[in-house]
Amino acid sequence: MRQQVFQFFSKVLAQVQHPLLHYLSVHRPVQKLLRLGGSVPGSLTEKEEVQFTSVLCSKIQQDPELLTYILEGKKIISRKKAPRESTALSKDSACHTDKDHFHSSAPDKGSQLDGEHCGAQALNSHLPAETEGPDSGTGESTLITSLLGLCKSKKSRVALKAQENLLLLVSVASPAAATYLVQSSPCCMAIAEHLCQLYRSLPAFLDPADIAALEGISWRLPSAPSDEASFPGKEALAAFLGWFDYCDHLITEAHAVVADTLAKTVAEKLFVETLQPQLLHVSEQSILTSTALLTAMLRQLRSPVLLQEAVAFLLGPDQQPAALEDNPRTLCSHLIRHCDHLSDEISIATLRLFEELLQKPHEQVIRDLVLCNLDGRLYVARGSPEPESYEDTLDLEEDPYFTDDGFLDCGFSPSAKPRTAPPTSAPGKTAVTEIVNSFLCLVPEEAKTSAFLEETGYDTYVHDAYGLFQECSSRVAPWGWPLGPAPLDLHEPERPFFEGPFLQVLFDRMARILDQPYSLNLQVTSVLSRLALFPHPHIHEYLLDPYINLAPGCRSLFSVLVRVIGDLMQRIQRVPQFPGKLLLVRKQLMGQVPGEQLDHQILLQGVVVLEEFCKELAAIAFVKFPPHGPQLNLSPPPEGQV
């Protein structure tokens, strides 16, 4: 019988041309009918219920003022506690009572909302919701709860239709209706609470690889493909990521008033109250799982409003340049320290989180993590003449690994060592050919193996770097970055320079590349190359220009690499048959030969990563600033590629 009733009223409301929902004698029974559905999971009338809500949402979309007449659920329920004499009133007396006592409950309305008397002649008069005192505006909405209940249906078609209806509801164009939806219904809170409930239903520990395998879950297809390998908690994870994607889509499509409130509610309930305690937990499993889940959420996030909340959660308010002795107790500082955690798995997961964050179109990310510490170019020495030799630029005479012959001890050919200051095409911008040569010649010949294998040349990295740089440039274009570095004030006294905690931990990790696991080295170099792609002149100068005159006590990415090479040259002497073992390890990493444990395995793998990273940095420098003047023989890509 209930199915028949739902079907009948769905057809009546859908087909009738005259507006009916304004009438008290219509919208009150509609609300009572809504209360019959959506509350019991697995109801036999789910199909009819979602059809009924579809009709209501389409009517509300046509006339947003109707929203206030439907969102009165709790007030009707509470009326049951009152004496029921009103039910015995005649239709006429009921009309007069309602007309006398009802007033507008929609916010942002100076006057009463349009409603109806109990007659056709009163179609445009005022008849909004009853009130029950000062708290009447926060009553529960039966339409919202009915839709959310149907969203949880096990029948995918029903759930999808309910989600589409809810999306239709929050995208109403009327500011008054949107404000009413936010302030007088549990819509935003209920959506966020369901998201948190799905998060709490996840297993306590999930493998980051399993989480990454489920990327791309859409709210329209929340379940993972059946051909993928199963793991404990897979369905729960797919449900959570699907609903998060739905929340992100809701915020993108919703009216600005609803979007702002929903984004803040999700940030407060999910990020702050649920995720943050796990990210700061002492349990390594808790840290690992929550970090990997946060990375998966960032990867799916598209809404600018929710992205703003996520960035504020991760980085806090806009930061000032950090000092070396600063140790703020913020979530950001904890996450940066996790990049150098005792657990390599946590370090890798956190580095992946930052790499994902760096790919988001939000200027505060790169500014807080890197740029705020490079302002003023304090890493450049003041008041001293330009260096006349390459060694002076890097202070190599102070490095115990280098002799008076400089790079010759590292396997550099004499021609690779410029004897004069490199030519510059603009102030603060070294000629790109010199930069490319510096990175390509950094690793000594006896530590290179890519020449023995195909498809590992420098030109392959140029192809990849070009596409990534174009993507990065288009993302940062609206931020109005300068084309050249800020001019130096040579009369300004030198102040201490600190690269900031983020670059500090990356440089520290890079300095230990010969002693770290292969997967960790890959992630460290991936984050650094992602940073080097940013077209800000200070980032380019600090990370990609080997010729900058560093201030005393400062280090750059190139100076860190130089000292790693010096350490490598000392270690090579202690590894018998080093070139053969190095080539074997590279073939193992490429899957060309079976993997077997060798002596000095970590060292050999670190050398392979180091060689490839130097080629990658050379390629990034090449595509960021094409060389001026004669081209070097750098194996350029085929015509049309770059």
Side-chain angles (χ1 to χ4, degrees):
M1 188 62 194
R2 220 164 58 176
Q3 288 178 329
Q4 297 300 319
V5 171
F6 274 119
Q7 288 176 356
F8 173 75
F9 279 107
S10 296
K11 290 178 180 179
V12 168
L13 292 175
Q15 296 180 18
V16 71
Q17 298 300 314
H18 189 76
L20 291 180
L21 286 172
H22 293 84
Y23 291 103
L24 174 67
S25 55
V26 176
H27 70 254
R28 284 299 172 86
V30 163
Q31 292 161 352
K32 293 178 182 178
L33 194 58
L34 280 169
R35 289 206 308 277
L36 296 177
S39 57
V40 181
S43 169
L44 296 177
T45 58
E46 282 183 337
K47 181 180 177 182
E48 290 74 22
E49 291 168 20
V50 79
Q51 182 182 0
F52 182 61
T53 57
S54 298
V55 172
L56 290 178
C57 290
S58 65
K59 292 295 182 183
I60 291 172
Q61 188 186 37
Q62 295 170 12
D63 182 8
E65 299 298 336
L66 292 174
L67 188 65
T68 55
Y69 295 93
I70 305 301
L71 303 186
E72 297 180 353
K74 189 172 182 180
K75 299 161 192 145
I76 304 173
I77 297 173
S78 61
R79 288 189 68 194
K80 293 182 178 179
K81 301 177 182 178
R84 296 181 174 269
E85 62 271 9
S86 60
T87 60
L89 293 175
S90 67
K91 186 178 296 185
D92 291 337
S93 62
C95 288
H96 292 299
T97 303
D98 288 328
K99 182 178 69 174
D100 292 338
H101 293 284
F102 284 177
H103 65 84
S104 175
S105 60
D108 296 340
K109 284 281 190 179
S111 61
Q112 295 175 333
L113 285 175
D114 289 343
E116 271 57 337
H117 291 251
C118 293
Q121 73 277 13
L123 184 62
N124 295 317
S125 62
H126 299 287
L127 183 64
E130 285 185 58
T131 59
E132 299 171 353
D135 295 329
S136 62
T138 58
E140 183 180 8
S141 162
T142 53
L143 179 57
I144 298 297
T145 53
S146 179
L147 283 172
L148 283 171
L150 292 167
C151 286
K152 303 172 187 177
S153 171
K154 298 297 182 184
K155 300 174 183 176
S156 58
R157 281 186 164 184
V158 171
L160 179 60
K161 190 63 179 176
Q163 290 173 340
E164 291 174 346
N165 290 338
L166 187 56
L167 180 62
L168 202 66
L169 198 63
V170 300
S171 60
V172 289
S174 165
T179 306
Y180 190 90
L181 187 66
V182 166
Q183 297 183 358
S184 303
S185 83
C187 178
C188 297
M189 185 62 69
I191 293 171
E193 284 292 351
H194 182 51
L195 184 63
C196 295
Q197 182 182 359
L198 290 172
Y199 183 89
R200 288 189 291 267
S201 67
L202 295 174
F205 175 72
L206 285 170
D207 190 334
D210 291 335
I211 296 174
L214 278 187
E215 65 180 32
I217 294 292
S218 167
W219 66 276
R220 294 187 183 275
L221 295 170
S223 58
S226 57
D227 56 345
E228 291 186 7
S230 183
F231 56 88
K234 179 180 177 180
E235 291 185 4
L237 178 61
F240 169 73
L241 292 177
W243 190 257
F244 180 81
D245 183 62
Y246 178 63
C247 291
D248 181 55
H249 196 77
L250 276 179
I251 294 170
T252 303
E253 300 292 333
H255 188 280
V257 174
V258 182
D260 288 341
T261 305
L262 181 55
K264 285 180 170 57
T265 307
V266 168
E268 180 66 27
K269 292 297 178 182
L270 179 64
F271 294 161
V272 177
E273 295 183 9
T274 307
L275 264 173
Q276 182 166 293
Q278 297 188 7
L279 292 168
L280 302 178
H281 205 276
V282 294
S283 165
E284 292 188 0
Q285 284 191 354
S286 178
I287 295 173
L288 187 60
T289 301
S290 56
T291 303
L293 284 169
L294 185 55
T295 304
M297 285 186 275
L298 275 179
R299 191 174 295 119
Q300 292 189 194
L301 201 156
R302 296 292 181 271
S303 164
V305 182
L306 188 55
L307 176 60
Q308 172 62 43
E309 295 296 331
V311 170
F313 163 69
L314 288 168
L315 303 182
D318 286 340
Q319 299 177 4
Q320 299 298 320
L324 184 59
E325 64 275 5
D326 285 352
N327 186 25
R329 296 180 179 274
T330 62
L331 177 62
C332 183
S333 64
H334 277 281
L335 290 174
I336 290 175
R337 285 197 292 271
H338 286 175
C339 294
D340 201 1
H341 201 274
L342 290 175
S343 165
D344 290 335
E345 283 186 310
I346 289 178
S347 296
I348 293 171
T350 311
L351 286 166
R352 283 177 182 158
L353 172 65
F354 278 108
E355 183 179 13
E356 197 62 47
L357 193 58
L358 288 168
Q359 297 178 63
K360 291 300 173 183
H362 201 291
E363 188 178 9
Q364 185 187 343
V365 176
I366 189 67
R367 170 147 297 279
D368 284 4
L369 293 178
V370 178
L371 279 178
C372 67
N373 297 288
L374 302 184
D375 284 343
R377 300 172 66 199
L378 298 178
Y379 48 86
V380 179
R382 259 60 166 188
S384 59
E386 288 295 317
E388 296 186 359
S389 67
Y390 195 47
E391 294 91 337
D392 292 340
T393 305
L394 297 171
D395 295 330
L396 295 184
E397 69 276 3
E398 300 176 6
D399 198 306
Y401 295 130
F402 292 88
T403 64
D404 292 339
D405 292 329
F407 289 120
L408 297 179
D409 285 351
C410 287
F412 279 72
S413 62
S415 62
K417 176 187 172 184
R419 291 295 179 180
T420 58
T424 56
S425 55
K429 190 184 295 183
T430 307
V432 70
T433 51
E434 301 290 339
I435 295 176
V436 171
N437 258 350
S438 298
F439 283 112
L440 289 180
C441 298
L442 188 55
V443 177
E445 290 300 324
E446 56 264 41
K448 291 182 178 180
T449 52
S450 58
F452 300 101
L453 302 171
E454 297 180 357
E455 298 182 358
T456 55
Y458 158 77
D459 56 336
T460 305
Y461 283 104
V462 173
H463 299 156
D464 296 338
Y466 180 77
L468 292 172
F469 178 62
Q470 293 299 316
E471 177 189 338
C472 183
S473 297
S474 63
R475 189 168 66 245
V476 307
W479 302 345
W481 281 352
L483 297 177
L488 288 175
D489 184 0
L490 299 180
H491 302 290
E492 180 185 1
E494 289 189 355
R495 290 179 287 154
F497 169 73
F498 175 49
E499 62 263 28
F502 186 60
L503 282 178
Q504 180 188 41
V505 75
L506 290 177
F507 286 176
D508 289 346
R509 279 293 191 187
M510 197 66 217
R512 302 198 297 270
I513 191 173
L514 302 178
D515 303 298
Q516 295 174 156
Y518 175 71
S519 56
L520 178 56
N521 285 336
L522 285 182
Q523 195 57 52
V524 173
T525 54
S526 179
V527 175
L528 281 168
S529 61
R530 184 72 62 178
L531 279 175
L533 284 166
F534 281 93
H536 195 285
H538 294 171
I539 293 178
H540 177 80
E541 180 182 50
Y542 186 61
L543 295 183
L544 289 179
D545 190 351
Y547 296 95
I548 56 174
N549 187 19
L550 288 173
C554 294
R555 60 179 178 172
S556 67
L557 178 56
F558 191 80
S559 70
V560 171
L561 290 172
V562 165
R563 279 159 174 76
V564 171
I565 295 296
D567 186 20
L568 172 62
M569 295 309 300
Q570 300 292 318
R571 298 194 190 194
I572 285 179
Q573 311 302 323
R574 301 193 293 268
V575 181
Q577 301 177 340
F578 179 82
K581 290 182 177 178
L582 185 62
L583 184 58
L584 178 61
V585 165
R586 176 182 277 274
K587 289 181 177 179
Q588 288 179 351
L589 294 174
M590 297 177 68
Q592 296 182 357
V593 297
E596 58 177 288
Q597 191 65 34
L598 298 174
D599 294 335
H600 310 286
Q601 183 98 3
I602 290 181
L603 169 65
L604 296 169
Q605 291 176 344
V607 175
V608 173
V609 175
L610 183 63
E611 179 187 357
E612 297 305 305
F613 183 51
C614 288
K615 289 192 293 186
E616 188 175 13
L617 292 177
I620 292 172
F622 181 83
V623 301
K624 287 180 73 175
F625 293 95
H628 301 280
Q631 297 279 344
L632 293 183
N633 185 18
L634 298 174
S635 302
E639 186 175 356
Q641 294 289 333
V642 178

